[in-house]
Amino acid sequence: MDITNVGVMKEIFQAFGPYGLLLVLWWFDARRLDAVLKEHRGYMDEWREMYKNNVKLVENYDSVAGDLKDLVVLNTQTMTGLVHDIRENQYCPQVRIEKHTVQVGKGSQ
């Protein structure tokens, strides 16, 4: 039954009066509201599931971040050692600085 048709409303009004028409209109509105609430519930279920997935993602990222921190620390230590070795010229014979032992004399007293 298409309640939006004026002819149908007129028949309901003649059969049941104004209160009957209001009751029928309220009943159709309640059905429409139920449909909207069911659709909204579906959207909320989707949001809830996305939130749960985001929590799992954050928990997994926490372990990855810990591993990444360890990797950065190890790389920093290695690069520090390389800088030290380069400054000391230990590996390249062409640019190696010859180091001479310097003795400090007793000096004059």
Side-chain angles (χ1 to χ4, degrees):
M1 175 185 289
D2 186 19
I3 193 68
T4 58
N5 190 348
V6 177
V8 174
M9 286 186 195
K10 183 177 177 184
E11 289 177 18
I12 294 172
F13 184 74
Q14 287 175 349
F16 300 107
Y19 295 114
L21 181 63
L22 286 175
L23 185 64
V24 169
L25 289 173
W26 173 79
W27 183 74
F28 277 110
D29 188 54
R31 283 185 38 193
R32 186 185 57 82
L33 183 61
D34 284 342
V36 169
L37 288 176
K38 284 180 185 177
E39 186 177 350
H40 179 69
R41 185 176 300 122
Y43 290 142
M44 288 296 105
D45 289 342
E46 289 177 22
W47 277 95
R48 192 174 298 117
E49 189 64 31
M50 286 192 303
Y51 179 77
K52 288 177 184 178
N53 291 340
N54 284 343
V55 168
K56 290 178 187 176
L57 181 66
V58 168
E59 289 171 351
N60 292 337
Y61 182 77
D62 188 36
S63 66
V64 169
D67 294 341
L68 183 62
K69 181 191 78 127
D70 294 340
L71 184 66
V72 168
V73 167
L74 288 173
N75 282 339
T76 303
Q77 289 174 350
T78 302
M79 291 303 291
T80 302
L82 286 173
V83 167
H84 179 265
D85 291 344
I86 289 169
R87 287 189 183 179
E88 293 295 319
N89 290 325
Q90 293 180 3
Y91 296 110
C92 182
Q94 296 207 352
V95 293
R96 185 180 296 149
I97 299 173
E98 294 295 328
K99 297 180 182 140
H100 302 286
T101 306
V102 178
Q103 284 186 318
V104 179
K106 292 186 178 184
S108 58
Q109 290 180 329

